[in-house]
């Protein structure tokens, strides 16, 4: 091997090695940032009460109940708009372009918060971790696993291991495309089983 070939080969190996280091660093940075975003979103959806993110206006509908006035409806709509803006400020930048509104309209965004409010619970995340998708059906799916501690008004506690599926953006892997609950660890059943909830509506 002549001197030129040796220099070229050495330079090529150095470039490949450097590129691998850079790509690995970028991937690690994406994973770290995504985990931070996932935890931030999950805390917003689970921890109650917290940051004023869940304070719904509930209007009871039924026999003998007056229909809400236009002023009451307008006030409820204003309050809902203000609450959405709080969510935008809190977790809006955790989502890929255009995906926050899709997230905001999903029922499971307030499932834990709603149950916590109805039953006088304080809910907090005690553990958070990330796990790759078990069936490896896609390279941009993972699971956020959280342990949630629910404390009632008498100080009693229950623990729930929840599983949330996360689909992250392929163009920017630090951002979330979709996050949805796949297993609430029995949380809903623990508090709403055999409990009659009156007919209400949130504006």
């Amino acid at each position: 091997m002549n001197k030129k070939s040796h220099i070229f080969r050495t330079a090529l190996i150095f470039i490949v090695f450097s590129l691998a280091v850079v790509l690995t660093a970028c991937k690690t940075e994406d994973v770290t940032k995504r985990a931070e975003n996932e935890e931030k979103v999950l805390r917003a959806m689970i921890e109650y009460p917290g940051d004023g993110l869940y304070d719904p206006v509930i209007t009871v509908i039924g026999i003998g109940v007056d229909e809400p006035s236009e002023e009451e409806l307008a006030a409820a709509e204003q309050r809902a708009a203000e609450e959405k803006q709080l969510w935008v400020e809190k977790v809006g930048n955790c989502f890929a372009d255009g995906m926050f509104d899709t997230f905001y309209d999903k029922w499971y965004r307030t499932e834990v918060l709603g149950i916590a409010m109805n039953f006088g619970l304080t809910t907090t995340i005690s553990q958070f971790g990330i796990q790759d998708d078990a069936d490896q059906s896609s390279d941009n799916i993972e699971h956020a696993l959280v342990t949630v501690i629910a404390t009632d008004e008498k100080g009693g506690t229950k623990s729930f291991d929840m599983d949330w599926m996360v689909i992250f953006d392929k163009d920017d892997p630090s951002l979330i495309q979709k996050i949805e609950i796949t297993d609430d660890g029995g949380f809903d059943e623990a508090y709403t089983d055999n409990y009659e909830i009156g007919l209400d509506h949130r504006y």
Side-chain angles (χ1 to χ4, degrees), residues 151-171:
T151 305
D152 62 30
E153 293 172 332
K154 295 182 179 179
T157 62
K158 293 182 181 179
S159 176
F160 304 92
D161 293 324
M162 299 185 181
D163 183 341
W164 294 76
M165 184 183 74
V166 179
I167 300 176
F168 55 89
D169 192 67
K170 289 186 176 181
D171 293 329

Side-chain angles (χ1 to χ4, degrees), residues 22 25-26 29 34-35 43 63 83 86 89 94 100 105 108 111 126 128 133 139 141 146 149 155 163 179:
V22 170
C26 290
E29 184 178 344
R34 183 169 68 249
R43 287 191 182 277
I63 298 174
E83 184 175 298
L86 285 176
E89 294 170 2
C94 297
F100 171 79
D105 290 337
Y108 44 76
E111 180 193 17
S126 64
F128 169 85
D133 189 37
D139 59 1
I141 297 178
V146 295
I149 305 298
D163 183 341
I179 181 167

